Amino acid sequence: MKIKMQMKDKGRHPYLHMLLRYGLFAAGIVLVSVGLELFLRPNWIVPGGVQGLSIMLAYITEMHMGLFLFLLHLPFVLLTGVRRKDISAWMAWIGLLLLTFATLLLHPVPPVTEHPLAASVAGGLMLGIGTGMMVKYGAHADGVRETAVWLRKKTRLSTAELVTLIHIGILALAGFLFGWEQALYSIISYFLAYCSLQFMLRDHFDLMMVWIRTNHASAVKEKVSEAYGDQAVWVSSPAYSNTSPNELFLIIPRELMTRIQPVLSSADPEVSVIFTPIKPSEAAEYTRR
């Protein structure tokens, strides 16, 4: 199996780039911890995801939210360490430990505001922007998507549908726990966090275009579809319209890059593969119908 990588140049100043990366990573942790401990948690506003579950558990048990952030994120960070053997696994651990420490440190600090609307807006924006900075520079964000991927194997729903249902379930639990008027502020916070996170990751290379050259195209497509379902999206050639029947183009999440290689080799030991990172906006253009 022949494998090639096409990566974009990160510039002529690697040390400056590294310093900027770690600085923004730390700033993201500060924003998330401030948004959670000084805006959302004191007003019992649930932004969805693991953070929302942590806030509800802190309310029920009267324990520190940071403890539940650590415990609920821990399995997914461990999974990241198993799947990735590079710097991103270490960054996931560092991000979790620093976020836990920062939230515990800020816990005694009085909230910035006790107005629920102001808290939901400011906290949601801080959470989304901070999470985007953490994810962009190597940290693990949330376990909702990983949970949805696992559930997808047991249901007929897509990953996106399952992610939506999980967040709806968390927000519904918040409504039962804190009241439906308070749930409205949680929805506002979730919406703003989601939009700001998407804005931060609009140029994030979290997807890979896979160019496959093989003499067994049908077998390759069958193996990949069986292994990954709708996580792997087949597209026509992005370079030219008259694609050779021996060439396949596939978009996958970056985390599947190493795991897809043995799947391809099992269908065709002589397969040749080129991986190219792409932006979500580029992926949308390729898959647009």
Side-chain angles (χ1 to χ4, degrees):
M1 180 178 180
K2 299 178 181 178
I3 302 173
K4 293 182 180 179
M5 287 292 299
Q6 293 182 354
M7 301 300 291
K8 297 202 172 183
D9 184 16
K10 291 187 177 179
R12 299 180 181 179
H13 305 286
Y15 294 108
L16 181 60
H17 174 82
M18 184 172 62
L19 182 62
L20 179 63
R21 171 180 176 175
Y22 293 146
L24 291 174
F25 178 77
I29 293 173
V30 171
L31 279 176
V32 170
S33 57
V34 169
L36 288 172
E37 277 291 357
L38 301 188
F39 289 94
L40 299 178
R41 195 271 309 163
N43 292 280
W44 305 117
I45 295 172
V46 174
V50 172
Q51 292 92 346
L53 289 174
S54 300
I55 290 173
M56 288 189 286
L57 288 171
Y59 175 81
I60 295 170
T61 64
E62 298 183 354
M63 298 174 66
H64 288 184
M65 180 191 63
L67 174 64
F68 294 108
L69 279 175
F70 179 81
L71 292 177
L72 294 178
H73 275 107
L74 183 59
F76 303 106
V77 173
L78 289 172
L79 183 61
T80 300
V82 171
R83 291 186 310 191
R84 302 180 184 178
K85 304 297 182 181
D86 55 11
I87 187 64
S88 62
W90 288 104
M91 294 296 284
W93 272 108
I94 293 170
L96 176 59
L97 293 174
L98 290 179
L99 179 61
T100 302
F101 175 76
T103 52
L104 291 174
L105 189 66
L106 289 172
H107 183 77
V109 178
V112 173
T113 178
E114 295 183 355
H115 191 286
L117 179 59
S120 64
V121 172
L125 289 173
M126 286 185 177
L127 182 61
I129 294 171
T131 301
M133 294 167 71
M134 291 176 64
V135 172
K136 201 168 185 178
Y137 296 101
H140 171 81
D142 206 323
V144 171
R145 182 171 179 81
E146 286 86 346
T147 303
V149 170
W150 179 77
L151 290 174
R152 186 186 59 81
K153 300 176 183 178
K154 304 179 181 298
T155 68
R156 295 184 178 180
L157 298 175
S158 68
T159 301
E161 290 170 336
L162 287 168
V163 168
T164 302
L165 287 176
I166 291 171
H167 282 300
I168 290 174
I170 292 171
L171 293 171
L173 285 175
F176 282 111
L177 189 61
F178 302 121
W180 296 109
E181 182 178 351
Q182 195 72 2
L184 176 62
Y185 298 114
S186 294
I187 293 171
I188 293 172
S189 176
Y190 166 74
F191 176 75
L192 291 174
Y194 174 81
C195 291
S196 55
L197 174 61
Q198 295 302 310
F199 176 79
M200 290 298 296
L201 297 181
R202 67 194 187 281
D203 295 326
H204 182 50
F205 295 112
D206 204 32
L207 299 172
M208 302 297 292
M209 173 70 78
V210 189
W211 180 15
I212 305 168
R213 296 177 64 91
T214 175
N215 292 320
H216 304 280
S218 298
V220 167
K221 294 190 74 169
E222 182 179 354
K223 286 282 188 180
V224 171
S225 297
E226 287 178 358
Y228 301 112
D230 62 359
Q231 282 189 281
V233 180
W234 298 99
V235 297
S236 59
S237 168
Y240 42 83
S241 57
N242 297 323
T243 306
S244 165
N246 295 332
E247 294 179 340
L248 301 173
F249 291 86
L250 178 67
I251 295 175
I252 60 172
R254 183 176 54 181
E255 62 192 38
L256 295 184
M257 189 176 70
T258 55
R259 286 189 286 163
I260 202 171
Q261 296 169 16
V263 175
L264 297 174
S265 296
S266 67
D268 180 8
E270 301 299 321
V271 68
S272 177
V273 183
I274 296 177
F275 293 99
T276 305
I278 63 171
K279 302 175 184 178
S281 57
E282 295 172 326
E285 288 295 324
Y286 297 145
T287 56
R288 184 172 296 166
R289 299 179 185 275

